């Protein structure tokens, strides 16, 4: 299983449990999470990312399709499980080893 697939599993487990601590462990100390298409963020640093997800957690699990590795970056289409995984946008993950340095989430 790829690091990206493992990250998605941890994200979805956090949605189910409400425990975002394991999710935040996927980010470098100076990581950034940005959202495109919604007026939220950006969030910088593992602590700020954790606080953001704890205060406004997603209410559904994500499903990913069309996962593409582009060197140190993984790009995938995503959708919400409750909506049958219909494309909602794109996830763009830039890696620093096995940790996420930057996560961009687009909303269409």
């Amino acid at each position: 299983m790829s690091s990206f697939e493992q990250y998605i599993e941890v994200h979805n487990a956090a949605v189910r449990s409400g425990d975002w601590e394991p999710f935040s462990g996927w980010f470098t100390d100076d990581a950034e999470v940005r959202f495109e298409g919604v007026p939220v963020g950006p969030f910088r640093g593992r602590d700020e990312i954790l606080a953001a997800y704890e205060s406004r957690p997603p209410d559904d699990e994500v499903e990913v399709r069309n996962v593409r590795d582009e060197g140190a970056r993984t790009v995938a289409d995503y959708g919400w499980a409750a909506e049958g995984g219909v494309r909602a946008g794109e996830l763009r993950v830039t890696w620093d080893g096995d940790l996420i340095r930057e996560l961009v989430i687009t909303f269409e």
Side-chain angles (χ1 to χ4, degrees):
M1 179 179 302
S2 73
S3 292
F4 181 76
E5 291 168 320
Q6 291 174 29
Y7 158 73
I8 295 298
E9 283 192 7
V10 169
H11 173 275
N12 287 339
V15 170
R16 289 188 302 271
S17 71
D19 180 6
W20 289 93
E21 190 73 36
F23 169 81
S24 70
W26 277 86
F27 294 89
T28 62
D29 290 338
D30 61 347
E32 180 176 65
V33 174
R34 292 193 334 263
F35 296 87
E36 295 179 0
V38 293
V40 177
F43 303 103
R44 294 183 178 93
R46 183 180 292 146
D47 293 340
E48 192 172 301
I49 293 166
L50 175 59
Y53 275 86
E54 286 179 333
S55 67
R56 294 187 65 189
D59 60 1
D60 195 8
E61 297 180 37
V62 295
E63 295 180 1
V64 294
R65 293 185 175 79
N66 302 319
V67 178
R68 304 163 308 275
D69 286 318
E70 301 174 352
R73 189 165 102 158
T74 303
V75 178
D77 299 333
Y78 80 91
W80 303 109
E83 296 175 11
V86 174
R87 182 183 157 94
E90 191 171 75
L91 300 175
R92 300 177 198 141
V93 178
T94 303
W95 299 96
D96 184 350
D98 289 331
L99 296 179
I100 297 170
R101 182 169 35 90
E102 180 183 62
L103 171 61
V104 178
I105 305 163
T106 70
F107 288 78
E108 299 174 355

